[in-house]
Amino acid sequence: MKHQVVIIGSGLGGLLTAVLLAKEGFDVAVLEQNKQIGGCLQSFSFDKKIFDSAVHYIGSLNEGEVLHRIFNYAGIQQHLQLQRLDMDCFDQIISGADDKSYALAQNLDHFTEQLNSYFPKEQAAIKEYARLLQYTCDHFPLYNLRMGDASEKHKVSDWKLSSVLQEIKASPALQQALTGNAILYAGHHDKTPFYQHALVSKSYIDSSWRCTGGSGQISKQLWKQLMAYGGTIYRHEQVKELMVQNGKIEKAVCTSGAEYLADHFISNIAPQQTIALLSDQAILKPVFRNRIQQAPLTVGSVMVNIVLQPQQVLYKNYNINWNKTNSLEAIDLLPQEFPVNYSIYYTEDRQHPGYAESVSILSYINTDAFEAWQDTYNNTLAPSGRDNAYQEFKASLADTLMNVVAQRHPELRQHTKSCKVATPLSYRDYQGSMKGELYGIEKDVNMLNQSSLTTKTRIPNLYLTGQNVNLHGVLGVSMTAISSTADFVGMEYLLDKINKA
Ligand SMILES: Cc1cc2nc3c(=O)[nH]c(=O)nc-3n(C[C@H](O)[C@H](O)[C@H](O)COP(=O)(O)OP(=O)(O)OC[C@H]3O[C@@H](n4cnc5c(N)ncnc54)[C@H](O)[C@@H]3O)c2cc1C
């Protein structure tokens, strides 16, 4: 089979790039190893309730905002079922250290006013924080869907989050309020760049949304658009080799035996996995290969998904984020301590509005904790199951987490009807990540070159897209899909079309 463009992986990055290219008349095919498309966008169900495997809320989807404009251009925005979170509180932050709680509001002015009421003596620091948030976001051209060059970003790229918070003289309590949802970017006091915090936080402050009916609707709608433009998704096609011929990729060879030839290949999978697929490793410089292969990954996570007894637990139209001590030091406390944090996401019962039908509870865990089972594999295509020791470990983790959650939210344990637990291995096997890490390669402000990638590679017809280039998350990956598409059609042309749509 020969196509103009073959995309490896049907995560958001792969699907959105496919739609944007197909819309430009390219003959695009997407190869997905799983039956379900979407990667991290996958939803699943048990006990008749729908759960999101990863994406629980999305920012910047209000009319005129960046993701709204991108999704609108891709033809999916009007088909998404969305619910805006509480304007006065999209994220509740609970600091375990002093048991204080803060409500983060949507809209930057409202956000700062509300913080001022919690910290009346720190209004200057809050004002400066808001200014730097806006200033940083303004320096990322794609965040604003405008032309610009990399030097703009470089002006703010090497600021460290923890240093900025100190420089604005935010008290420890204010710092906790501002970074209490650091699980959104796996924030770390010594590594996280301010820009990563700023782009992610600002997008949710602008507007925060849940996908009612599951995040899987995003991939479903993208698939519909792709088909409408003549593109194809081949499922159950795991690429096992990218055949190098004459300095270029000639074809993708799948475990099924099928071969897909193309003029261009775009990889939506981790760059480490992409390199491992190359039939001729020497095509890339060893320095580059080593840099990518050794790049540290973000921390892993465990998710406890709970179906609640009907009409027992009130629905919260916001998320709860608890940190045991300092949100930016939480990762360092692992593996000696668990849990060091948790976030609770509620789903409303549509039959009984005002009540929650389910909750998902997410917490950090080291992916290494599952090393004993790293050679086992389990998903719907290969449901091999894992041994009793794994099941017991998983159950004890869930129990330990729920013991801590129940201290503040006893109703969740009391009214649990049924429960399923996802570990880093579940994420690895269902979403195709390396070890079940949360967001791919870790961003480290001390080694920016180490953790920065571009969509173009040294192989002339191989490109990268997805969360490892630039920024993770629905917004970050969508922005990168614009860059990947622009590699083929030009950025000015593409932005003009998006902005006029
Ligand atoms: C637990 C968790 C919670 C999250 N919560 C949020 C949230 O609330 N909001 C938010 O915005 N973001 C969230 N994120 C981040 C966000 O989901 C991701 O950054 C984003 O969806 C990644 O998209 P991607 O295009 O990079 O690819 P991925 O989603 O990683 O998809 C890659 C695809 O490639 C396929 N693949 C892999 N190898 C092969 C192969 N050899 N051949 C063929 N196919 C292959 C995989 O099966 C997969 O379908 C969360 C992530 C996690 C893990």
Side-chain angles (χ1 to χ4, degrees), residues 4 70 86 99 108 111 134 248 254 330 332 401 423 443 446 466:
Q4 257 177 309
I70 297 174
D86 275 1
D99 214 31
L108 194 54
F111 174 87
Q134 185 69 59
K248 287 175 29 173
C254 295
D332 288 346
L401 177 57
T423 70
K443 294 269 179 297
N446 309 296

Side-chain angles (χ1 to χ4, degrees), residues 153-164:
K153 293 196 266 186
H154 292 160
K155 277 191 191 140
V156 293
S157 294
D158 60 352
W159 298 357
K160 190 192 283 188
L161 169 59
S162 56
S163 306
V164 170

Side-chain angles (χ1 to χ4, degrees), residues 9 13 32-33 39-40 54-57 204 239 268-269 431 467 473-474:
E32 169 54 51
Q33 63 183 1
C40 296
V55 173
H56 284 84
Y57 67 132
Y204 287 105
V239 177
N268 179 218
I269 67 177
Q431 299 178 342
Q467 66 178 357
V474 173

